[in-house]
Amino acid sequence: MNITKEQIDSLNAVLKVDIKKEDYHEKVEKILKDYRKNANIPGFRKGQVPIGLIRKQYGRAVLVDEVNKLLQDNLNKYLTEEKLDVLGNPLPKQQDNFNWDADDFAFEFELGLAPEFEVPLKTKKAITHYNIVADKKMIDDQVLRIRKQYGKLVSKQAVGENDEINGTFTNEQEEIDNKAVLELSKIKSKKAVTALKGKAVGDTVTLKTKGLFKEDYLLPSTLGIPRERAEDLNIEVSFTIEEINEREPAELNQELFDKLFGEGNVTSEKDMREKIKADSEAQFQQQSDQKLLNDVTERLIETTSFDLPTEFLKKWMQTTGEKPLSAEEANDEFERTEKGLRYQLIEGKLITEHGLEIQFDELKEFAKGFIRSQMAQYGQVNPKEEDLDNIAGRVLGNQEEVKRLSEQLMSQKLLQLYKEKANLKTKEVNYDQFIKEVYG
């Protein structure tokens, strides 16, 4: 067998593969003889079928299968040995006069080659890296939420400013009949607040659904209807009051601290506020880092210029999916995926140039950290190292999980690279400012 490469241009090449009879004949004959030993054909004893009949029935299929195996194995070996960085897979060229009855065969495969380029991490225009801080107002609000959450309900006779009202929403025409808790602090409509204040158990109040709540997501759950149905809903509903409660905030004492943070970990309101600040800013860091990762990715795609073997890739996309695509469909698919493909090439270049690797031990530690954070959500704040090792072992036994965790860990390594090498400017903001700047 002989393989040669014809370079068409910097991004395209053709591999020519010549297969001689001696490359496949011995293997094909052995398979046919094995077929003969086990063939059950009427009129012949097992193992006594003439080899000519076996060759006539199975010879072409065995030949095609073995030649294709030779092609696959040797093409992969050639690409590896020659260190050819290809995009997609080699595409066989159409050969109209191909003859399987010949002794020798010649095949041609189109190659799409990865471009050569440099990645300018130090872009001219600096990229904003947000440092999100938990300000005093945010910490005050969080402390109040905690105190209310762990406080006790005190029954009241009439509705007041910050009460929680248990009752039933009804609208016969819209088939609404749902028990819910209504918190005055979450109501946006001033008319609704005025209508509810001073009302007693047994009273019924008519409320308009449009603009009722400060947050739109509250309406469907309160009325017991699907989210799609609640969108732009503008009707009147009756709300019959069944119970009125005021939530008396919990005291900031050691019992509450232990319940929230574990025994003895927090011993004062000052400690609690510092813990809330640290935990909040750790969460904000994740959002800030994701924003930075997205922004650097976009900037690198914008500033890293290179050509792609576009026509080859479109042709490859026509044949690579579950079902063949038309030329128009492949063109649309290329337009949808081009940006992602460009970043894959950029990312691969950065990983290679900066020696970013993932060792099994660090992947295991990364998995344990992920498991530890999940367990903490269910109140298991100090799991045993042995338990973490066992769970991590099971997780890393799943190849899909290994792939997912490896991608996350590599993203962290790239993020660290960007923090060290990219042109960044730090901007300190509180969370509300961050949301306003990033999402408008």
Side-chain angles (χ1 to χ4, degrees):
M1 175 181 287
N2 184 46
I3 300 179
T4 57
K5 178 168 72 74
E6 178 186 348
Q7 194 78 29
I8 306 301
D9 56 41
S10 61
L11 297 174
N12 295 275
V14 172
L15 288 186
K16 297 183 177 181
V17 184
D18 294 318
I19 296 180
K20 302 294 185 184
K21 184 175 181 178
E22 55 264 28
D23 294 324
Y24 62 83
H25 181 70
E26 185 177 338
K27 186 66 180 291
V28 169
E29 288 300 307
K30 180 180 183 305
I31 293 172
L32 291 176
K33 288 175 183 177
D34 289 340
Y35 276 22
R36 181 173 184 254
K37 291 177 185 177
N38 299 298
N40 287 308
I41 297 178
F44 298 97
R45 285 185 297 167
K46 185 176 181 179
Q48 298 300 313
V49 180
I51 190 66
L53 183 58
I54 295 293
R55 188 174 285 109
K56 183 177 180 181
Q57 287 193 357
Y58 303 109
R60 172 67 61 81
V62 172
L63 170 66
V64 171
D65 188 47
E66 287 306 307
V67 169
N68 281 329
K69 285 180 182 177
L70 273 173
L71 283 171
Q72 190 66 47
D73 292 345
N74 285 279
L75 278 175
N76 290 336
K77 183 180 178 183
Y78 179 86
L79 294 176
T80 301
E81 290 178 348
E82 296 296 317
K83 298 180 181 179
L84 292 179
D85 192 1
V86 299
L87 302 179
N89 295 313
L91 283 179
K93 293 186 72 173
Q94 183 68 34
Q95 294 173 275
D96 296 330
N97 299 320
F98 190 85
N99 181 15
W100 281 107
D101 291 326
D103 288 336
D104 300 334
F105 308 108
F107 300 90
E108 292 187 353
F109 294 86
E110 295 179 64
L111 295 183
L113 305 176
E116 294 289 333
F117 59 92
E118 298 297 325
V119 183
L121 268 179
K122 283 283 185 184
T123 55
K124 290 182 180 179
K125 187 178 178 181
I127 300 169
T128 301
H129 182 206
Y130 290 96
N131 177 29
I132 311 172
V133 296
D135 57 14
K136 183 178 183 300
K137 181 181 179 300
M138 172 174 281
I139 297 170
D140 288 343
D141 290 345
Q142 181 67 2
V143 170
L144 183 58
R145 278 195 293 271
I146 290 171
R147 292 185 66 195
K148 284 186 175 182
Q149 181 182 349
Y150 288 91
K152 63 181 181 179
L153 293 176
V154 179
S155 181
K156 293 183 64 178
Q157 297 300 312
V159 177
E161 185 74 33
N162 297 307
D163 292 345
E164 298 177 11
I165 314 165
N166 291 358
T168 301
F169 285 91
T170 57
N171 179 298
E172 188 174 345
Q173 185 176 352
E174 295 290 334
E175 297 182 343
I176 293 172
D177 187 355
N178 190 60
K179 288 183 178 295
V181 178
L182 197 59
E183 297 182 45
L184 258 66
S185 61
K186 295 181 180 179
I187 294 178
K188 179 181 179 181
S189 169
K190 292 181 180 179
K191 286 185 177 180
V193 172
T194 301
L196 287 163
K197 279 185 179 179
K199 293 297 187 291
V201 172
D203 289 345
T204 298
V205 180
T206 299
L207 303 172
K208 287 189 176 182
T209 57
K210 187 174 182 180
L212 180 59
F213 293 105
K214 295 176 182 177
E215 302 290 345
D216 292 339
Y217 74 88
L218 292 170
L219 186 62
S221 59
T222 301
L223 300 184
I225 60 176
R227 178 177 55 81
E228 297 79 10
R229 192 175 152 202
E231 289 180 6
D232 301 320
L233 185 67
N234 187 12
I235 61 172
E236 289 186 342
V237 290
S238 296
F239 179 61
T240 302
I241 299 173
E242 296 165 2
E243 186 179 349
I244 305 167
N245 294 300
E246 181 181 15
R247 190 170 289 273
E248 188 176 283
E251 290 185 24
L252 295 177
N253 55 28
Q254 194 60 47
E255 181 182 356
L256 178 62
F257 300 151
D258 290 346
K259 190 181 295 184
L260 290 170
F261 305 109
E263 189 172 348
N265 291 322
V266 169
T267 58
S268 67
E269 181 180 349
K270 181 183 176 184
D271 288 348
M272 176 184 179
R273 287 175 170 273
E274 289 175 354
K275 182 80 166 84
I276 290 172
K277 180 177 175 64
D279 290 347
S280 298
E281 291 180 352
Q283 293 181 12
F284 298 158
Q285 183 69 46
Q286 294 177 11
Q287 290 179 267
S288 172
D289 283 349
Q290 187 59 54
K291 171 65 176 166
L292 178 62
L293 195 60
N294 294 342
D295 288 348
V296 174
T297 298
E298 290 293 328
R299 186 66 59 82
L300 289 177
I301 293 172
E302 290 173 8
T303 57
T304 307
S305 178
F306 54 83
D307 293 325
L308 290 170
T310 303
E311 293 309 312
F312 168 84
L313 289 170
K314 289 178 181 179
K315 193 184 298 185
W316 175 69
M317 286 176 177
Q318 285 186 264
T319 62
T320 191
E322 292 182 3
K323 64 175 185 177
L325 301 179
S326 67
E328 184 178 355
E329 288 172 330
N331 185 67
D332 292 342
E333 179 67 16
F334 178 77
E335 289 182 358
R336 281 194 298 271
T337 59
E338 181 183 3
K339 196 173 183 179
L341 175 58
R342 286 182 176 278
Y343 184 66
Q344 284 181 12
L345 292 171
I346 292 168
E347 184 182 86
K349 183 85 169 177
L350 290 172
I351 288 170
T352 301
E353 284 189 350
H354 296 276
L356 304 182
E357 297 179 344
I358 294 177
Q359 305 295 334
F360 179 78
D361 287 346
E362 63 179 340
L363 183 61
K364 184 177 180 181
E365 287 304 311
F366 182 72
K368 284 163 66 175
F370 181 74
I371 294 162
R372 191 180 287 109
S373 64
Q374 284 193 318
M375 294 175 75
Q377 293 178 15
Y378 295 94
Q380 298 178 314
V381 291
N382 292 307
K384 294 180 180 178
E385 196 67 21
E386 182 181 355
D387 292 338
L388 289 172
D389 281 332
N390 290 335
I391 298 172
R394 291 197 296 272
V395 169
L396 296 178
N398 183 321
Q399 288 305 307
E400 287 298 317
E401 285 297 306
V402 169
K403 181 175 181 292
R404 183 178 66 85
L405 290 169
S406 295
E407 288 173 352
Q408 291 181 2
L409 181 53
M410 184 54 73
S411 288
Q412 285 194 4
K413 288 176 175 283
L414 285 165
L415 179 66
Q416 188 58 40
L417 174 69
Y418 299 156
K419 287 180 178 180
E420 294 173 0
K421 304 288 187 181
N423 183 14
L424 306 180
K425 62 177 180 181
T426 301
K427 184 173 184 178
E428 185 172 293
V429 292
N430 62 34
Y431 189 68
D432 289 339
Q433 291 169 333
F434 173 75
I435 294 299
K436 187 177 180 179
E437 286 201 21
V438 172
Y439 302 107

